[in-house]
Amino acid sequence: MNLTETTDEARDTAGLARSDDLAAALLTPEARRDPYPFYARMRREEPVHRSAQGIWYLTRYADVEAGLSDLRLSNDRDRMTRAYTALGGDLKAFSRLTDRLGRVMSNTDPPDHARLRKLANRAFTARRVEALRDGIQRIVDRLVDEAVAAGPSMDLIEAVASPLPLSVICELFGIPPEDRVQVKTWFRRFGRLSEDIDKSEAAIEQYEEYLARLVHHRRADPGDDLISALVATQAQDDRLTDSELLATCFVLITAGDETTTHLVGNGMLALLRHPDQLARLRADPTLARMAVEELARYDTPTQAIVRVVAEDVEIGGRTLREGELVYLFLAATNRDPERFEDPDRLDLTRPGNRHLSFGNGPHFCLGGPLAKLQAEVAVGTLVRRLPQLRLADGAVLDWRPNPLQRRLTALPLTY
């Protein structure tokens, strides 16, 4: 759940190597269908790999875990933009979006990051997240009811996994029901920057103006919602500017949408492909929370995150130079046999499951608990209510063409 996810297809495809090396293998159709054998090869042959374009790829658990907490691997917006510019790729979408949003916690380093994250932490508490459980259950039940009423088959992404996080986040932030269709339209438009940047930027501008109006209304008439809580926090800390408040609202509302959608989608696909584990969960619904941790480890939507070297650093006997880009492959670390026993096996009761799907260190995903709660309720409900759920006959699965994200275009099921 990172601001960089919003511009992933626009910049990552440009940034990945296309020559005949280990990194280029991740662009092949085979890797798009199943990247995990390629990660295993990279860990085995060159776990700290420099691509032909000069981008570093880290695939070992120990290296990535340390790198996520190492301030020499920076998440700063300005450093990142300079690093991509130096590669000569098409960075219009990335740079224009980050410039528009300004400096938010997901693209800053300490001390600014700590100050902005403290703001969000005060409002985005564990109590507030857990209090959403009953509401999430009602939303999931409604979506499943609608899917069942429509017929004996559905696209899980379209019917449940995609509308769920939008409904939840709109309730959390107090976005009125009558505005939610328009909000979803904006999300879809500015999530496709590589297709039409002008339309995407127009959607971003309209969305920003809408959020600014909401913030203005909450100042005058606060409620029991997260925007009101953020506004109240600003009143307690005058260092938080209006632009920072607006940018924080933008990224918190936006960032979890796709990640949550595909945590549910990838997770259900993994269960359907492992009927023994599906039967295990069906027999013991109390495993749902632990199951989500394993599903997140097994096939995380966020395959990798990006950092830029702020100061020369040695990793695995290689020297990474200031200004170079680093891709930290969370998905590869989650299958590292040095950290996980039999890592390619799905085990819903896996002990000591310290996967890195939601990061680690100062940028650990703030919205991770909410994403996992939604997946827990959604997966648990689908397994309980649809005992005959299975992949549709002849279903052909297609994944979006972005090697840093793992997202199904559709998941056709019958029940």
Side-chain angles (χ1 to χ4, degrees):
M1 293 188 176
N2 187 307
L3 175 62
T4 57
E5 289 183 16
T6 311
T7 53
D8 51 13
E9 294 184 14
R11 71 180 185 171
D12 294 336
T13 304
L16 283 166
R18 297 187 181 276
S19 62
D20 184 19
D21 67 359
L22 289 171
L26 293 176
L27 292 169
T28 62
E30 293 79 11
R32 183 172 165 184
R33 287 191 294 270
D34 183 6
Y36 295 98
F38 295 86
Y39 297 149
R41 177 188 166 200
M42 194 173 285
R43 280 194 312 267
R44 185 172 59 248
E45 296 181 12
E46 196 176 356
V48 183
H49 172 73
R50 192 172 189 270
S51 75
Q53 252 186 326
I55 301 172
W56 292 98
Y57 288 61
L58 306 185
T59 51
R60 283 188 303 211
Y61 186 99
D63 294 334
V64 172
E65 182 186 39
L68 289 168
S69 298
D70 192 332
L71 296 182
R72 292 173 295 181
L73 300 184
S74 171
N75 205 37
D76 181 74
R77 175 198 67 178
D78 297 332
R79 290 182 188 274
M80 196 83 67
T81 301
R82 287 197 298 271
Y84 273 103
T85 300
L87 293 176
D90 181 4
L91 300 170
K92 291 188 300 181
F94 176 63
S95 60
R96 284 163 63 174
L97 177 60
T98 53
D99 285 345
R100 175 182 291 280
L101 287 180
R103 306 187 67 78
V104 296
M105 63 184 179
S106 58
N107 64 2
T108 56
D109 292 328
D112 282 345
H113 174 267
R115 179 174 63 84
L116 295 171
R117 182 155 185 138
K118 185 178 179 181
L119 156 73
N121 282 340
R122 288 178 183 172
F124 212 86
T125 63
R127 178 189 60 80
R128 186 182 291 272
V129 170
E130 184 58 33
L132 293 170
R133 179 181 290 273
D134 290 345
I136 293 171
Q137 184 66 66
R138 287 192 294 272
I139 293 168
V140 172
D141 282 334
R142 172 178 58 80
L143 294 171
V144 173
D145 287 343
E146 292 171 354
V148 170
S153 63
M154 66 170 160
D155 170 11
L156 181 69
I157 303 300
E158 187 67 24
V160 177
S162 181
L164 171 61
L166 178 67
S167 297
V168 171
I169 208 71
C170 283
E171 289 197 10
L172 183 61
F173 279 84
I175 294 175
E178 61 270 21
D179 295 343
R180 295 176 187 182
V181 172
Q182 180 60 67
V183 170
K184 184 63 175 179
T185 299
W186 287 327
F187 278 19
R188 287 178 172 171
R189 284 179 182 168
F190 60 66
R192 296 171 181 170
L193 286 164
S194 58
E195 297 174 15
D196 191 327
I197 187 172
D198 293 327
K199 286 185 178 179
S200 296
E201 278 208 298
I204 292 167
E205 185 171 348
Q206 293 163 14
Y207 180 51
E208 283 183 320
E209 291 172 353
Y210 172 76
L211 285 181
R213 291 195 298 271
L214 279 185
V215 168
H216 176 76
H217 291 323
R218 294 300 191 278
R219 280 203 179 101
D221 185 18
D224 185 24
D225 58 82
L226 195 49
I227 291 179
S228 296
L230 292 168
V231 168
T233 300
Q234 184 190 32
Q236 299 163 14
D237 185 352
D238 59 8
R239 293 177 300 167
L240 180 68
T241 67
D242 286 350
S243 62
E244 287 173 334
L245 174 64
L246 181 60
T248 298
C249 289
F250 187 113
V251 75
L252 288 177
I253 295 174
T254 307
D257 183 48
E258 289 273 289
T259 303
T260 304
T261 292
H262 297 287
L263 178 59
V264 174
N266 294 5
M268 282 305 305
L269 177 61
L271 284 173
L272 293 169
R273 285 175 165 175
H274 296 81
D276 62 322
Q277 296 300 303
L278 178 57
R280 200 172 183 182
L281 179 57
R282 186 166 284 133
D284 184 2
T286 65
L287 290 178
R289 181 173 296 186
M290 184 179 290
V292 166
E293 295 292 350
E294 174 67 350
L295 295 172
R297 179 200 71 85
Y298 186 79
D299 198 12
T300 177
T302 304
Q303 297 276 289
I305 58 175
V306 186
R307 296 288 186 264
V308 61
V309 182
E311 175 185 335
D312 288 4
V313 58
E314 184 175 312
I315 300 176
R318 308 291 299 274
T319 301
L320 284 61
R321 302 295 182 186
E322 180 183 355
E324 293 180 321
L325 285 164
V326 187
Y327 288 172
L328 292 82
F329 274 87
L330 310 178
T333 73
N334 289 342
R335 301 280 190 104
D336 188 343
E338 294 296 317
R339 179 62 183 82
F340 298 99
E341 183 178 351
D342 198 2
D344 293 320
R345 178 172 58 90
L346 185 70
D347 179 4
L348 300 189
T349 58
R350 181 178 294 276
N353 192 355
R354 291 190 58 191
H355 61 78
L356 297 179
S357 298
F358 292 93
N360 189 46
H363 285 282
F364 183 81
C365 180
L366 181 67
L370 179 58
K372 289 189 282 188
L373 176 60
Q374 292 177 78
E376 177 190 339
V377 174
V379 169
T381 301
L382 289 162
V383 169
R384 171 174 52 83
R385 292 192 53 187
L386 303 175
Q388 304 303 316
L389 193 66
R390 60 183 176 83
L391 279 172
D393 293 339
V396 177
L397 300 180
D398 187 28
W399 302 86
R400 294 188 192 175
N402 180 357
L404 300 197
Q405 305 291 329
R406 186 149 170 82
R407 299 170 175 179
L408 284 162
T409 58
L411 183 55
L413 305 178
T414 59
Y415 41 87

